[in-house]
Amino acid sequence: MNVRVGRRTRHYRTVAFDASKNAVLLIEQRLLPHEFQVVAVRDFRETARAIQEMIVRGAGAIGATAAYGLAQGARAFRGGDIRKFSCHVETVYQTLKAARPTAIDPVNAMNEIRRAMSAGETVQQQQALTRAAAEQFADDDVKHCEAIGRHGAPLIRDGMRVLTHCNAGWLAFVDVGTATAPLYAAQAQGKKFHVFCDETRPRSQGATLTAWELAGQGIAHEIIADNAAGHLMQRGEIDLVIVGSDRTLGRTGEVANKIGTYTKAVLAERHNIPFYVAIPLSTIDWELSSGSEIPIEERDQSEVLGAWGALRNPKSEIRNPKSEIRNPKSVRRVYMRVANPTSRARNPGFDVTPPELISGIITPAGIFKPNELWRNRRELGHET
Amino acid sequence: MNVRVGRRTRHYRTVAFDASKNAVLLIEQRLLPHEFQVVAVRDFRETARAIQEMIVRGAGAIGATAAYGLAQGARAFRGGDIRKFSCHVETVYQTLKAARPTAIDPVNAMNEIRRAMSAGETVQQQQALTRAAAEQFADDDVKHCEAIGRHGAPLIRDGMRVLTHCNAGWLAFVDVGTATAPLYAAQAQGKKFHVFCDETRPRSQGATLTAWELAGQGIAHEIIADNAAGHLMQRGEIDLVIVGSDRTLGRTGEVANKIGTYTKAVLAERHNIPFYVAIPLSTIDWELSSGSEIPIEERDQSEVLGAWGALRNPKSEIRNPKSEIRNPKSVRRVYMRVANPTSRARNPGFDVTPPELISGIITPAGIFKPNELWRNRRELGHET
């Protein structure tokens, strides 16, 4: 989507490929929202490291990065020995897979690329096919998000105030995003609306990433503390909630998403505010039969006990970034202890929202009630 | 309550008076939880500044500080001219009142001191009476909080997990606190329990002040992000909620308190978890007839857009404070921008919880259902 760079606004994807340099281009997300930088990664091992160190994060985005990384690794092979080439590709595959061992998207993405390349006979043919398949994978990710936007946009009417939680935006995918897709589509249709971004402690993805996205796109928005949404709903200042999902149970319609999502769903129900979840098909889990089976990651307590932010260097005040590659000394990104130094914290990363609190699930195939997913499983990509 | 200073644990009040030096002793709350320091303020103008600059905060604590400040100012008068003395006391009164112009507690406290001093005839008699009355005011504040503790302690059973929001602890009063009073009383009865402290963004009083209090008192506790309580309730990990209140409507039982309180009440109701509010009688508003009439302060957006915390000086790591008066260079307290630099924020400071979500209101006079306050108004200090 759009990024304001100085006075210009330019379109970027989160992940792209520069074939002439065999480089994967990534937005350096760890510097956002304080600095905007695009990193050109020239070696598949570096691409794996970029995934591991979270220069790129988000299901769709790391899937596409792994797809490009596999193409990049395959294309770096010199020679015509197909057996050696296959071994090399296997190394690339395992290296990229190991970067985020529990994530499913990189594996699915790379399997798709390998399937496509098997149509080629020579090393050169297979190398060419990997690149085409990776581009196809990235384009499909964008198309799915655009479809979510098309289905979701009618929910947004002129003058509405929409609440979001965390970041299921274009930065988490190749472009467009899921929870943000209806917003971007409604904006393209000329609708005017206002977005409240939940800060989303402890990692503050709403205040940092979602707010940064909306600012670049020119969508009116305000950040609120996670504590404030209940009050705003009570005073009639929120008309619609749209969130993303990390895992949606196809059998039950339960939705696992960033911690705090469940709270917003409970509040929305009390105030009769529609609560929608936007998801790509890849996040539907067709196996589990209860949300209580979803493992809830207990994350490091330092996230709750402090915060990451930017200390300004008085010699170079940050306003809008002036150039794409910025002097990293203009902003010092630091971790700061906020809480009492002798206290500990609990830090569950996700929660599970039951289907009765969800008005609808916006997918690339249309909007479904949570209890309609299983009945429509073929349309939603379930493979049996 | 107790403060751990190095290896020793000592009892402190938030506000006290050193008559030999005519000094008001205040815990420097702006340095908490990173440093513990007691400031001796030797002039009433400085005491007013300490209130204004929030070295001391919290309804009961600023009331007692103003009471001591009035005594301090009166006692600093030299000579025997009662007319000049009265003018001087009026100046002291106005100076202390102007420190937090919208707060009612300093005014109520100082009126009480002035009433008491009017029994004296000479300057010296009146000076002596101010001091005695200020000590009485502070002791009464403690007694009221202890009474809240006595009434609230039976709600806490062995093994319970109790959620608190913000800080209505001893730091906000002269000692003991309101929402914390039942915890301290239950601890004194030998009960074992666990407290979850909501971080309470944007000002993080739960993560800083309440956690610091509980650590000093040796009560088992963990800090959680404001987003996490709903999940913990869903998994059956919270048995009781106790919060404070900034204003409770005597006619309706509605409770205004720190932003996010309403959300916790809605969640508690959904999970059938008792939700109690602990209040001193001074916070009951007998006039307003609807919570919608309570003005909700919209605070500065910088609170939401960033955070205050401590950067450690690598040369002097902070652990437990080693001495009472510490080298302030050991910790650098800084404000850090967290959010996207080009975004704005909404920051309502309080919300209103309706009576149907409240199990009971714990007062120094006992526990009442919200709709019983008006019927029992005489017992609760309503003066008509």
Side-chain angles (χ1 to χ4, degrees):
Chain A
M1 302 297 292
N2 289 337
V3 177
R4 257 188 250 154
V5 182
R7 292 182 178 191
R8 287 187 315 138
T9 293
R10 239 189 84 180
H11 181 267
Y12 285 87
R13 283 185 172 186
T14 309
V15 191
F17 192 64
D18 181 341
S20 67
K21 294 176 183 147
N22 202 35
V24 179
L25 307 177
L26 298 172
I27 294 177
E28 172 39 296
Q29 298 201 30
R30 297 171 310 175
L31 297 181
L32 291 176
H34 309 292
E35 292 202 46
F36 176 70
Q37 214 175 85
V38 175
V39 184
V41 186
R42 289 163 193 271
D43 177 82
F44 76 89
R45 283 183 192 83
E46 289 296 301
T47 302
R49 225 176 64 188
I51 294 173
Q52 186 176 11
E53 296 182 358
M54 301 184 81
I55 289 175
V56 59
R57 33 61 68 188
I62 62 173
T65 305
Y68 282 130
L70 193 72
Q72 175 185 46
R75 292 173 87 236
F77 182 82
R78 295 282 163 260
D81 184 332
I82 191 77
R83 208 185 49 80
K84 281 190 184 161
F85 175 71
S86 291
C87 289
H88 170 74
V89 168
E90 179 64 21
T91 303
V92 176
Y93 180 96
Q94 293 301 338
T95 304
L96 288 161
K97 182 180 168 182
R100 289 281 296 273
T102 58
I104 192 66
D105 288 82
V107 173
N108 288 342
M110 290 192 292
N111 288 346
E112 213 164 292
I113 310 310
R114 286 226 281 205
R115 218 166 11 243
M117 64 185 266
S118 66
E121 282 173 20
T122 66
V123 168
Q124 215 178 359
Q125 282 170 349
Q126 293 204 355
Q127 286 175 320
L129 285 168
T130 54
R131 185 193 154 197
E135 292 293 2
Q136 186 65 50
F137 182 88
D139 289 347
D140 284 349
D141 183 88
V142 177
K143 274 186 201 143
H144 296 152
C145 289
E146 284 171 344
I148 290 171
R150 224 166 25 247
H151 296 300
L155 300 172
I156 298 168
R157 290 188 301 276
D158 245 358
M160 265 192 170
R161 291 139 316 166
V162 184
L163 177 71
T164 68
H165 191 72
C166 199
N167 178 258
W170 69 270
L171 289 168
F173 294 85
V174 176
D175 207 350
V176 182
T178 55
T180 49
L183 305 175
Y184 298 142
Q187 182 192 34
Q189 294 166 0
K191 293 177 187 166
K192 302 277 179 231
F193 51 92
H194 187 89
V195 179
F196 288 112
C197 305
D198 272 342
E199 176 182 21
T200 322
R201 283 281 292 158
R203 287 170 63 83
S204 305
Q205 297 96 328
T208 56
L209 303 180
T210 303
W212 181 85
E213 282 195 16
L214 296 175
Q217 205 64 19
I219 291 180
H221 67 286
E222 284 169 306
I223 299 163
I224 56 173
D226 299 302
N227 282 318
H231 171 69
L232 294 176
M233 289 184 183
Q234 202 182 27
R235 301 255 157 150
E237 296 191 43
I238 291 174
D239 306 300
L240 176 68
V241 186
I242 307 180
V243 301
S245 169
D246 289 274
R247 193 193 303 212
T248 295
L249 301 199
R251 290 173 187 268
T252 67
E254 286 161 292
V255 167
N257 191 41
K258 186 65 61 204
I259 191 78
T261 301
Y262 169 63
T263 294
K264 297 302 141 69
V266 170
L267 287 166
E269 188 206 32
R270 179 175 168 92
H271 296 283
N272 293 311
I273 297 166
F275 183 94
Y276 283 88
V277 182
I279 62 167
L281 300 185
S282 61
T283 64
I284 304 180
D285 179 329
W286 295 108
E287 301 305 321
L288 294 188
S289 56
S290 163
S292 63
E293 295 169 24
I294 300 175
I296 301 296
E297 178 186 353
E298 190 75 33
R299 297 181 54 84
D300 195 87
Q301 52 178 325
S302 65
E303 293 180 352
V304 174
L305 297 175
W308 282 95
L311 291 181
R312 291 170 185 212
N313 181 329
K315 285 188 185 162
S316 57
E317 188 75 7
I318 334 158
R319 291 194 197 93
N320 286 330
K322 286 276 165 21
S323 68
E324 286 181 46
I325 306 295
R326 306 196 57 224
N327 174 10
K329 283 182 186 154
S330 64
V331 49
R332 219 178 107 214
R333 201 165 166 277
V334 294
Y335 174 79
M336 191 177 70
R337 177 87 184 202
V338 171
N340 175 47
T342 58
S343 297
R344 300 177 61 80
R346 276 284 297 278
N347 187 16
F350 302 92
D351 60 28
V352 178
T353 300
E356 67 270 20
L357 301 180
I358 299 167
S359 311
I361 295 181
I362 315 170
T363 77
I367 301 182
F368 297 86
K369 295 273 171 205
N371 61 11
E372 294 172 349
L373 295 178
W374 183 249
R375 200 187 318 145
N376 294 282
R377 61 192 177 278
R378 271 177 196 79
E379 195 180 344
L380 292 168
H382 184 39
E383 284 171 2
T384 52
Chain B
M1 302 300 291
N2 289 337
V3 177
R4 257 187 250 156
V5 181
R7 291 182 179 193
R8 288 186 316 139
T9 293
R10 239 188 83 179
H11 181 267
Y12 285 87
R13 283 185 171 187
T14 309
V15 190
F17 192 63
D18 180 342
S20 67
K21 294 177 182 146
N22 202 35
V24 179
L25 307 178
L26 298 171
I27 293 177
E28 173 37 298
Q29 298 201 29
R30 297 171 309 177
L31 297 180
L32 292 176
H34 309 292
E35 292 201 47
F36 176 70
Q37 214 175 84
V38 175
V39 184
V41 186
R42 289 163 192 272
D43 177 81
F44 77 88
R45 284 184 192 82
E46 288 297 300
T47 302
R49 226 177 64 189
I51 294 173
Q52 185 176 14
E53 294 182 358
M54 300 185 81
I55 288 176
V56 58
R57 32 63 65 189
I62 62 172
T65 304
Y68 282 129
L70 194 71
Q72 175 185 47
R75 292 173 87 235
F77 183 82
R78 294 285 163 257
D81 184 332
I82 191 78
R83 206 187 49 79
K84 279 191 185 160
F85 175 70
S86 293
C87 288
H88 170 73
V89 169
E90 178 63 23
T91 303
V92 176
Y93 181 96
Q94 294 301 339
T95 305
L96 288 160
K97 182 179 167 181
R100 288 283 295 272
T102 57
I104 192 66
D105 288 82
V107 173
N108 288 341
M110 291 193 292
N111 287 345
E112 213 164 291
I113 310 309
R114 288 227 281 205
R115 218 163 16 240
M117 63 185 269
S118 66
E121 281 172 21
T122 67
V123 168
Q124 217 180 355
Q125 282 170 350
Q126 294 203 356
Q127 285 175 321
L129 285 167
T130 54
R131 184 192 155 198
E135 292 294 3
Q136 186 64 51
F137 182 89
D139 289 346
D140 284 349
D141 183 88
V142 177
K143 274 186 200 142
H144 297 152
C145 289
E146 284 170 345
I148 291 171
R150 225 167 22 249
H151 296 300
L155 299 172
I156 298 169
R157 290 188 300 276
D158 246 359
M160 266 192 170
R161 290 136 319 164
V162 184
L163 177 71
T164 68
H165 191 71
C166 199
N167 178 257
W170 69 270
L171 289 167
F173 294 86
V174 176
D175 207 350
V176 183
T178 56
T180 50
L183 306 175
Y184 297 143
Q187 182 192 32
Q189 294 167 0
K191 292 176 187 168
K192 302 274 180 234
F193 51 92
H194 186 91
V195 179
F196 288 112
C197 304
D198 272 343
E199 176 183 21
T200 321
R201 283 280 294 157
R203 288 168 65 82
S204 305
Q205 296 96 329
T208 57
L209 303 180
T210 303
W212 180 84
E213 281 195 18
L214 297 175
Q217 206 63 21
I219 292 179
H221 67 284
E222 285 169 308
I223 299 164
I224 56 172
D226 299 301
N227 282 318
H231 170 70
L232 294 177
M233 289 184 183
Q234 202 180 28
R235 301 257 157 149
E237 296 190 43
I238 291 175
D239 305 300
L240 176 68
V241 186
I242 308 181
V243 301
S245 168
D246 289 274
R247 193 193 303 211
T248 295
L249 299 199
R251 290 172 186 270
T252 66
E254 288 161 291
V255 167
N257 192 42
K258 186 65 61 205
I259 191 78
T261 301
Y262 168 64
T263 294
K264 296 304 138 70
V266 169
L267 288 166
E269 189 208 32
R270 180 175 168 91
H271 296 283
N272 294 311
I273 296 166
F275 184 93
Y276 283 88
V277 183
I279 62 166
L281 300 184
S282 62
T283 64
I284 304 181
D285 179 328
W286 296 107
E287 302 304 321
L288 294 188
S289 55
S290 164
S292 64
E293 295 169 24
I294 300 174
I296 301 295
E297 179 186 355
E298 190 75 33
R299 297 181 55 84
D300 195 87
Q301 53 180 323
S302 65
E303 292 180 354
V304 174
L305 298 174
W308 283 93
L311 290 181
R312 292 169 183 210
N313 181 329
K315 284 187 186 162
S316 57
E317 186 78 4
I318 332 159
R319 290 196 196 89
N320 286 331
K322 286 272 163 26
S323 68
E324 289 182 42
I325 306 294
R326 306 196 56 223
N327 173 11
K329 281 179 186 157
S330 63
V331 46
R332 219 178 107 213
R333 202 166 165 277
V334 294
Y335 174 79
M336 193 176 69
R337 177 86 184 202
V338 171
N340 176 45
T342 58
S343 296
R344 299 177 62 80
R346 275 287 295 280
N347 187 15
F350 302 92
D351 60 28
V352 177
T353 300
E356 68 269 20
L357 302 180
I358 299 168
S359 310
I361 296 183
I362 315 170
T363 78
I367 302 183
F368 298 85
K369 295 272 168 205
N371 61 10
E372 294 171 349
L373 295 178
W374 183 249
R375 201 187 316 144
N376 295 282
R377 60 192 177 277
R378 271 175 198 80
E379 195 182 344
L380 292 168
H382 185 39
E383 286 170 359
T384 55

